[in-house]
């Protein structure tokens, strides 16, 4: 029977534990081994650790954050849109355009991998506390096993959170599959509220088991990319905001939030405040260095501990590596897909002095020499945080056809913690407090390259804002800071602003294509005043020998009328022209339907395997 096959697939992942390759330094460099007897695996600290790494490994690969969950499921939104090409492909384009059907093959394996990750975590959660060493080992052994137990609870929460925000209500799997199959082989869907409540309880337990990042030495663990207390608290805050936010409810088939939502905003506020007060995490002074010299440089050390939760990649293959920087980002010597395109409306949301624009958006491809830049039309610019031309340690020759670059997907950063705190503080205090202003302005000042502790009237948000207006600044700042990190679509859903954002973005894209001034959005703080004009350039001219990785490749300004003739030593590309309509808008969120598209359809194989699963509204 088909449901037995599904359980077998889940269980197969549960008994696939891993050992570390002795020659590798990164904690997720690994190879799988098979262990059929959990009692043998969970017999000592190294065995438990190997099982835990098996759970970690389910974060990555083609069916995890290596490409599909991170880059297929997160667009279209008011920042980015998905790949060019004909729609109705029953593939990745249909997902981006909100035309996905239950039979779309690109959603089945990610759905399965998330539950595979849940199962791997369940095995650790079930067995680690029962180990003899958990209660009777040395003090170090007990603390290391306690940490692993907390990590497993956190990983399960992350896998479940990702599944819920994409598919809504789901079956409850909080025990190993071998037990689940006996107790309830055809589970019905449990409300997302109930699942979130369980995850919040689990994370409350986990945060007392997992040390802060700077306290790892006390239990004999080294600092690496594993989960620490800041991760647990940050994830708990994020889940609390989703629990307190809007969601598509199957009973009413409408977007609703619970009446006690402030309870969950309080949890988010308290958890983020604890992280801030701990002094364990801070902002890297340079936004560009964070991405170029940390993420794209495969750095393990993070001196500021800004990268709270990373999905690590390794292996140069589809199982546990990533195509970040190949599927997205600028092409190098014609290699890559450049399948994530920032919208022209998003490009002009940035202040001209905001350094984050030229990190988040890469307006070029790279020539065969690996250095010279080729400027792109505004409809073909790329997201920029994961760039092959920034990749080092190791770097790759421009002629190398490699697709797996082992870049880590960033699940949670300290900047997000600060913005979550500001949002929650504003909500529960019925307006922004001094602490909320500080948290928001720290993020903004870093984005402009300023000292985060120095008041800067040119950068800081205006004082004296109402609750509503401060929230609009939060909505905008989260776009500017977290663009291209897979967060925006789901933020807009939990705020019940996705439909509004898509509608207003479409209107402004059409306006841009006719050389008419765009309008400020109703749902967030507006554009810089100099972007609300008709003097923006119709063409841009890139210098044919340019080697920079930012706006310096251009000979003219983004904000003034373009020269009437091509300057010497440059090449012209289209900028604000009708192509924004015919190339961009024509494929942007074309199938979005209110009270349907906020969720993906449950994959048809899952429906076929479980007679008690019902489909999401509208599918």
């Amino acid at each position: 029977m088909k449901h037995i096959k599904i359980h077998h697939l889940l269980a197969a992942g549960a008994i696939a534990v891993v050992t570390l390759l002795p020659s590798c330094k990164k904690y997720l460099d690994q190879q799988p081994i098979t262990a059929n007897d959990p009692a043998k695996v969970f017999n000592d600290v190294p065995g438990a650790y190997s099982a835990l790494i098996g759970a970690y490994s389910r974060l990555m690969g083609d069916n995890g954050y290596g490409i599909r969950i991170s880059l297929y499921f997160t667009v279209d939104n008011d920042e980015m849109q998905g790949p060019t090409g004909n729609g109705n492909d029953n593939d990745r384009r249909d997902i981006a355009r909100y035309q996905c059907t239950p039979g779309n093959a690109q959603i089945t394996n990610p759905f399965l991998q998330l539950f595979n990750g849940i199962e791997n975590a369940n095995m650790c959660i079930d067995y680690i506390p029962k180990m003899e060493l958990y209660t009777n080992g040395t003090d170090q052994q007990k603390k290391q096993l306690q940490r692993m137990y907390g990590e497993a609870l956190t990983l399960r929460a992350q896998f479940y959170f990702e599944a819920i925000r994409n598919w809504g209500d789901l079956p409850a799997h909080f025990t190993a599959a071998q037990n689940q199959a006996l107790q309830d082989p055809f589970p019905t869907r449990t409300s997302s509220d109930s699942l979130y409540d369980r995850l919040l309880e689990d994370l409350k337990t986990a945060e007392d088991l997992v040390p802060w990042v700077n306290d790892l030495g006390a239990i004999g663990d080294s600092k690496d990319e594993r989960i620490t207390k800041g991760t647990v608290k940050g994830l708990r805050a994020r889940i609390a905001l989703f629990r307190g936010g809007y969601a598509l409810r199957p009973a009413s088939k409408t977007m609703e939030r619970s009446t006690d939502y402030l309870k969950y905003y309080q949890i988010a506020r308290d958890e983020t405040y604890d992280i801030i007060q701990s002094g364990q995490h801070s902002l890297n002074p340079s936004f560009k260095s964070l991405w170029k010299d940390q993420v794209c440089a495969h750095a393990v050390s993070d001196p500021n501990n800004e990268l709270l939760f990373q999905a690590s990649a390794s292996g140069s293959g589809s199982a546990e590596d990533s195509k970040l920087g190949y599927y997205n980002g600028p092409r190098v010597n014609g290699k890559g897909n450049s399948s994530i395109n920032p919208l022209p409306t998003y490009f002009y949301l940035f202040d001209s002095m905001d350094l984050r624009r030229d990190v988040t958006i890469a307006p070029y491809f790279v020539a065969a020499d690996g250095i010279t830049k080729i400027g792109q039309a505004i409809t073909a610019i790329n997201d920029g945080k994961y760039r092959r031309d920034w990749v080092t340690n190791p770097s790759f020759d421009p002629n190398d056809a490699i697709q797996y670059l082992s870049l880590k997907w960033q699940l949670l950063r300290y900047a997000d913690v600060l913005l979550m705190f500001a949002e929650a503080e504003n909500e529960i205090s019925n307006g922004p407090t001094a602490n909320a202003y500080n948290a928001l302005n720290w993020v903004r000042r870093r984005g402009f390259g300023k000292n985060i502790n120095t008041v800067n009237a040119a950068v800081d948000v205006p004082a004296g804002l109402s609750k509503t207006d401060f929230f609009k600044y939060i909505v905008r700042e989260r776009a500017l800071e977290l663009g291209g990190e897979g967060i925006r679509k789901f933020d807009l859903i939990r705020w019940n602003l996705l439909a509004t954002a898509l509608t207003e973005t479409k209107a402004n894209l059409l306006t841009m294509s006719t050389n008419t001034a765009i309008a400020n959005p109703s749902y967030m703080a507006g554009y810089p005043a100099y972007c609300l004009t008709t003097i923006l350039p119709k063409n841009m001219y890139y210098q044919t020998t340019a080697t920079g990785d930012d706006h310096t490749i251009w000979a003219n300004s983004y904000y003034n009328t373009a020269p009437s003739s091509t300057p010497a030593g440059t090449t012209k590309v289209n900028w604000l022209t009708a192509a924004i309509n015919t190339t961009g808008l024509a494929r942007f969120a074309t199938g979005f339907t209110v009270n349907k598209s906020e969720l993906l359809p449950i994959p048809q194989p899952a429906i076929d395997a479980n007679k008690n699963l019902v489909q999401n509204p509208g599918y």
Side-chain angles (χ1 to χ4, degrees):
M1 296 176 67
K2 290 183 178 179
H3 77 280
I4 295 296
K5 292 181 181 179
I6 293 292
H7 281 304
H8 284 173
L9 286 168
L10 291 173
I15 58 176
V17 297
V18 297
T19 55
L20 298 182
L21 292 173
S23 62
C24 297
K25 296 180 180 179
K26 291 173 59 179
Y27 84 99
L28 274 183
D29 287 346
Q30 59 196 273
Q31 60 184 10
I33 61 172
T34 300
N36 292 314
D37 185 357
K40 293 181 179 179
V41 175
F42 296 98
N43 185 53
D44 55 20
V45 173
Y49 179 72
S50 295
L52 177 69
I53 298 307
Y56 269 106
S57 74
R58 298 301 79 211
L59 292 169
M60 261 299 171
D62 283 2
N63 295 314
Y65 295 105
I67 180 170
R68 288 186 174 88
I69 294 176
S70 57
L71 300 177
Y72 289 10
F73 292 2
T74 56
V75 291
D76 291 347
N77 55 58
D78 62 349
E79 300 169 348
M80 310 275 173
Q81 69 179 138
T84 59
N86 295 327
N88 299 314
D89 65 348
N90 199 32
D91 206 272
R92 57 197 173 104
R93 292 175 181 84
D94 278 356
I95 297 172
R97 297 168 196 179
Y98 300 96
Q99 297 171 170
C100 186
T101 66
N104 190 308
Q106 299 297 343
I107 64 173
T108 300
N109 286 335
F111 183 88
L112 180 60
Q113 179 155 317
L114 289 170
F115 275 93
N116 184 255
I118 290 168
E119 173 59 16
N120 283 12
N122 279 339
M123 293 289 285
C124 295
I125 293 165
D126 282 0
Y127 283 97
I128 288 176
K130 298 175 183 176
M131 292 173 61
E132 173 70 17
L133 294 178
Y134 194 84
T135 52
N136 297 320
T138 66
D139 187 60
Q140 178 170 295
Q141 288 172 328
K142 288 188 288 186
K143 289 185 181 300
Q144 288 178 337
L145 289 172
Q146 287 167 4
R147 181 192 182 189
M148 292 180 205
Y149 178 43
E151 287 175 275
L153 289 169
T154 306
L155 286 168
R156 182 171 69 183
Q158 175 61 34
F159 290 125
Y160 244 127
F161 168 66
E162 188 63 65
I164 293 167
R165 71 177 185 172
N166 279 288
W167 286 285
D169 297 356
L170 292 167
H173 285 296
F174 291 105
T175 187
Q178 59 197 26
N179 302 323
Q180 181 77 39
L182 295 174
Q183 297 170 5
D184 188 7
F186 299 106
T188 59
R189 298 176 72 173
T190 299
S191 75
S192 59
D193 285 351
S194 296
L195 293 174
Y196 278 148
D197 285 343
R198 171 63 184 267
L199 301 181
L200 291 171
E201 291 176 8
D202 286 348
L203 291 170
K204 185 63 176 174
T205 298
E207 67 184 34
D208 292 330
L209 299 170
V210 179
W212 289 107
V213 63
N214 292 327
D215 298 336
L216 293 172
I219 67 169
D221 283 351
S222 59
K223 181 179 173 183
D224 52 28
E225 297 130 322
R226 286 170 60 190
I227 288 165
T228 62
K229 191 186 294 287
T231 315
V232 182
K233 285 180 168 289
L235 179 58
R236 190 165 188 258
R238 177 178 283 172
I239 290 176
L241 288 178
F242 275 79
R243 174 63 176 87
Y246 287 86
L248 180 56
R249 308 295 182 176
S252 66
K253 297 181 173 58
T254 59
M255 294 289 291
E256 297 174 352
R257 81 188 318 174
S258 60
T259 56
D260 62 347
Y261 73 94
L262 286 177
K263 167 185 174 182
Y264 299 97
Y265 273 75
Q266 185 69 55
I267 292 173
R269 185 267 177 202
D270 292 346
E271 293 290 11
T272 51
Y273 185 74
D274 282 353
I275 298 171
I276 295 167
Q277 290 298 109
S278 74
Q280 299 273 334
H281 302 272
S282 62
L283 296 174
N284 186 317
S286 169
F287 190 77
K288 183 174 184 177
S289 180
L290 175 71
W291 290 97
K292 184 175 183 179
D293 303 327
Q294 287 287 129
V295 176
C296 289
H298 298 108
V300 175
S301 174
D302 176 11
N304 298 92
N305 300 325
E306 178 170 352
L307 307 175
L308 275 81
F309 196 3
Q310 306 180 75
S312 287
S314 65
S316 301
S318 62
E320 293 167 3
D321 212 319
S322 81
K323 288 185 176 178
L324 303 173
Y326 177 84
Y327 180 79
N328 62 325
R331 299 184 188 188
V332 176
N333 191 22
K335 296 174 176 61
N337 296 143
S338 56
S339 289
I340 303 296
N341 301 130
L343 296 169
T345 45
Y346 178 57
F347 181 94
Y348 279 101
L349 187 64
F350 286 91
D351 186 282
S352 64
M353 302 302 292
D354 191 334
L355 303 180
R356 295 172 295 186
R357 182 198 63 202
D358 289 355
V359 175
T360 307
I361 301 172
Y364 60 80
F365 286 172
V366 184
D369 62 5
I371 300 173
T372 304
K373 305 304 192 295
I374 304 167
Q376 298 298 301
I378 199 168
T379 53
I381 57 179
N382 316 280
D383 65 320
K385 289 177 177 174
Y386 299 94
R387 309 188 192 192
R388 175 170 169 164
D389 57 305
W390 278 2
V391 172
T392 55
N393 302 315
S395 56
F396 301 99
D397 187 275
N399 294 309
D400 194 330
I402 188 170
Q403 296 186 17
Y404 293 97
L405 304 178
S406 297
L407 293 179
K408 293 172 280 191
W409 181 250
Q410 300 306 312
L411 290 166
L412 179 65
R413 295 195 287 113
Y414 183 61
D416 195 353
V417 169
L418 292 172
L419 294 176
M420 287 192 289
F421 171 79
E423 178 185 346
E425 180 87 342
N426 179 58
E427 191 69 31
I428 63 177
S429 301
N430 202 34
T433 63
N435 284 337
Y437 271 107
N438 284 338
L440 176 54
N441 285 329
W442 289 336
V443 173
R444 281 189 62 77
R445 291 169 194 160
R446 194 270 296 269
F448 283 73
K450 307 299 182 182
N451 186 313
I452 69 166
N453 294 311
T454 302
V455 173
N456 191 309
V459 171
D460 294 355
V461 299
L465 293 172
S466 67
K467 173 186 173 183
T468 298
D469 287 341
F470 188 82
F471 172 71
K472 289 183 178 181
Y473 275 90
I474 289 288
V475 174
R476 186 181 70 178
E477 198 63 28
R478 289 185 66 81
L480 299 173
E481 175 69 24
L482 304 170
E485 297 181 47
I487 293 172
R488 185 61 170 184
K489 171 184 166 183
F490 302 104
D491 271 351
L492 292 170
I493 289 171
R494 69 179 176 87
W495 294 324
N496 198 22
L497 291 176
L498 181 59
T500 299
L502 294 178
T503 298
E504 294 187 13
T505 298
K506 288 178 179 180
N508 268 337
L509 288 172
L510 182 60
T511 296
M512 273 188 162
S513 73
T514 61
N515 196 32
T516 306
I518 57 176
N520 274 325
S522 66
Y523 62 96
M524 67 175 170
Y527 292 91
Y530 46 82
C531 296
L532 301 171
T533 71
T534 59
I535 65 169
L536 302 177
K538 293 183 179 180
N539 302 300
M540 291 295 292
Y541 300 88
Y542 69 89
Q543 301 177 70
T544 55
T545 58
T547 58
D549 58 8
D550 53 24
H551 67 280
T552 59
I553 70 169
W554 304 104
N556 59 313
S557 168
Y558 291 136
Y559 304 100
N560 294 310
T561 303
S564 57
S565 59
T566 302
T570 71
T571 300
K572 181 174 74 172
V573 298
N574 289 332
W575 203 246
L576 302 186
T577 68
I580 292 176
N581 180 18
T582 57
T583 302
L585 178 57
R587 75 178 200 273
F588 177 64
T590 51
F592 181 81
T593 303
V594 176
N595 296 326
K596 171 189 174 183
S597 301
E598 293 86 359
L599 293 174
L600 290 171
I602 301 292
Q604 192 59 46
I607 297 285
D608 295 340
N610 183 348
K611 63 184 180 181
N612 289 328
L613 277 186
V614 295
Q615 189 53 268
N616 277 328
Y619 291 102

